[in-house]
Amino acid sequence: MDGAQANGFDFGAGALCLDFVNTVDWRHDAARRRDGLGSYGALVEWGRQAGLLPDGLVRSLRRRAAEEEQAAAAALGEAVALRDAVYRIFAAVIRGGEPAAADLARLNRALDRGLRHLRVVPAAGGFAWRWEQPEGDLLPMLWPVARSAADLLVSGDLDRVRECDGDPCGWLFLDRSRNRSRRWCDMSGCGNRAKARRHYQRRRGRAEAGA
C-alpha cells in the first residue's frame, strides 16, 4: 500500500501500533520499499498526525533535533528498531509462531520507558489517562505506541490481526469484518491490484487454451 510517503501517513489499521508499523511501504520488496520515517522530522510529523504531540511539543522537538543532530539520529534509530520489532512480534503471532525474546524485550523496554510518564488526571465527569509532557526525551510519540502494542497483545482482538495478502505489501491491520475474511490493507490499493492480476491470469489462460 502506498501510504507512508511524502509525510502523508495512513491511520486506518485499527490500532495505533499497527499504524506505526505501516510507516513502511512494500516491506518485502527491497527494490520498492519506502520508509516513511526517513528522518527524525518525519517521526515527529507522524506523531503530530497521529494526534500524539501537541503543537508546542512538536516545535520543541524540532528545535531540539536541530540543535542535537546526533541525539535525534539515535532517537530515530530507536524508533525504527521498535517499529520493526513490533512488526516481527505480530507477524510471528499471525503465522502461529513465537515472537523472538529480543523483540519482546525491546517492546517491554519501550513500555517501561513510557508508562512512567502516564498519569491519571481529573476530567469532565471523572478521570482520564494523560501522558505528561517530557523533559529531555526525544521519543514521547513512542510511549503510546508501546502501550498500544502491549494492550493489543493481551487483548481478545489479537486473533484479528492480519497481514495484507498483497505480497510484498507487509502492512498489518485489525480485521473487523463480521466473518473475519478481510484480506487486504485497502481494497482500493492492494485489493484492486490482486483483482487485476487474477483477471490478467484468467485471460492469459483462456488465450493459451484457445491457441
Side-chain angles (χ1 to χ4, degrees):
M1 180 67 182
D2 304 327
Q5 52 185 305
N7 284 346
F9 297 101
D10 189 284
F11 294 94
L16 180 67
C17 59
L18 305 185
D19 289 329
F20 190 59
V21 165
N22 293 349
T23 55
V24 176
D25 284 328
W26 308 119
R27 178 179 290 276
H28 304 303
D29 186 332
R32 287 192 292 171
R33 178 183 168 110
R34 286 193 299 269
D35 193 334
L37 303 183
S39 68
Y40 178 78
L43 175 64
V44 172
E45 177 60 17
W46 180 85
R48 187 192 69 79
Q49 291 186 28
L52 306 177
L53 305 176
D55 290 343
L57 182 53
V58 168
R59 291 191 294 270
S60 174
L61 291 172
R62 287 173 175 166
R63 183 170 58 252
R64 283 198 59 211
E67 295 169 351
E68 305 173 32
E69 293 183 4
Q70 288 187 337
L76 176 63
E78 284 189 51
V80 170
L82 176 64
R83 179 191 64 187
D84 293 345
V86 171
Y87 167 77
R88 289 190 297 267
I89 289 169
F90 284 107
V93 171
I94 291 167
R95 293 159 191 160
E98 290 288 332
D103 289 334
L104 285 174
R106 183 175 292 278
L107 173 59
N108 279 317
R109 287 195 299 272
L111 186 63
D112 177 68
R113 180 176 181 174
L115 289 182
R116 68 185 67 176
H117 297 281
L118 191 58
R119 300 288 182 267
V120 174
V121 298
F127 298 87
W129 290 111
R130 187 178 72 189
W131 299 98
E132 68 176 1
Q133 295 293 308
E135 292 184 8
D137 196 317
L138 286 167
L139 292 172
M141 70 292 288
L142 296 191
W143 304 344
V145 168
R147 185 185 179 197
S148 169
D151 285 345
L152 184 53
L153 284 168
V154 302
S155 77
D157 284 336
L158 180 58
D159 63 351
R160 289 184 177 270
V161 180
R162 305 279 187 271
E163 182 165 6
C164 180
D165 274 1
D167 182 65
C169 173
W171 275 23
L172 303 182
F173 59 88
L174 272 180
D175 180 5
R176 296 293 191 186
S177 64
R178 183 171 300 177
N179 58 358
R180 304 192 182 203
S181 61
R182 181 178 165 188
R183 298 176 58 194
W184 319 108
C185 62
D186 190 323
M187 192 60 207
S188 66
C190 289
N192 277 341
R193 278 189 285 271
K195 285 175 63 179
R197 243 187 339 263
R198 290 196 300 270
H199 179 67
Y200 169 78
Q201 290 167 351
R202 284 196 298 269
R203 289 187 59 186
R204 181 177 179 182
R206 286 196 295 268
E208 290 175 350

